[in-house]
Amino acid sequence: MADFNGKWNWTALEGDFDGFLKDMNVGMMKRQAAKLISSEHHITQDGDNMSVEVVATGQKGKHQKYTVGGTFSETEVTGDVAEVSTEWDGDKIKETHRCKAFTYILIRELQDNDTMVLHLDSPKGTKCKRIYKRM
């Protein structure tokens, strides 16, 4: 089981993040703002129990508390409320975000001890990665 404990700072983006957001019907203004936002993930993990506090510049952060293997609700950037199901996929955590308008996949993995990658896969198959470094 991977250990995601720690504070993580977003450092890089790979792939088509703008296309990913377009696939979820995010408007141009929010897409432009999303490119400028810096974020941190403060993660506390106790086995399958996760607490993820997302701190973002210029935006309201969020706090997720869940047990891997369970579900939780989250408001997406579009304003839609998603039911998020979680599961372990080897050492990765797979989140399936489902709302009325779309479904997308987020996979959280440790690339190495100091690098966390969030793989995003849109409803239309557009992929991107948000890369975080341990603080």
Side-chain angles (χ1 to χ4, degrees):
M1 175 182 300
D3 181 2
F4 291 96
N5 278 297
K7 292 184 178 182
W8 304 88
N9 185 45
W10 177 51
T11 58
L13 179 65
E14 293 179 6
D16 188 2
F17 187 55
D18 189 65
F20 171 82
L21 293 172
K22 275 184 188 176
D23 289 353
M24 296 191 323
N25 299 317
V26 175
M28 183 182 68
M29 296 297 283
K30 282 188 179 180
R31 290 196 320 269
Q32 293 301 321
K35 293 176 187 176
L36 303 173
I37 293 171
S38 176
S39 69
E40 296 176 1
H41 286 210
H42 300 181
I43 301 175
T44 304
Q45 176 185 357
D46 182 13
D48 289 340
N49 298 312
M50 303 292 292
S51 173
V52 181
E53 182 181 359
V54 179
V55 179
T57 57
Q59 225 186 11
K60 181 181 173 187
K62 62 183 174 181
H63 191 192
Q64 305 166 325
K65 287 185 112 173
Y66 61 93
T67 300
V68 179
T71 61
F72 64 95
S73 293
E74 173 175 274
T75 301
E76 301 291 344
V77 68
T78 59
D80 295 291
V81 176
E83 180 79 7
V84 183
S85 60
T86 63
E87 64 182 308
W88 286 105
D89 180 7
D91 278 345
K92 303 171 189 174
I93 298 174
K94 179 180 179 183
E95 297 180 8
T96 303
H97 295 241
R98 290 183 182 89
C99 37
K100 289 180 183 178
F102 55 82
T103 297
Y104 74 91
I105 305 292
L106 180 152
I107 296 176
R108 182 183 304 272
E109 79 163 321
L110 292 179
Q111 199 168 55
D112 58 47
N113 195 42
D114 292 319
T115 308
M116 179 178 70
V117 179
L118 301 185
H119 300 266
L120 299 165
D121 191 353
S122 83
K124 295 181 181 177
T126 305
K127 298 179 185 305
C128 64
K129 296 178 187 178
R130 292 178 59 95
I131 300 165
Y132 293 77
K133 291 291 185 180
R134 189 179 296 277
M135 298 170 57

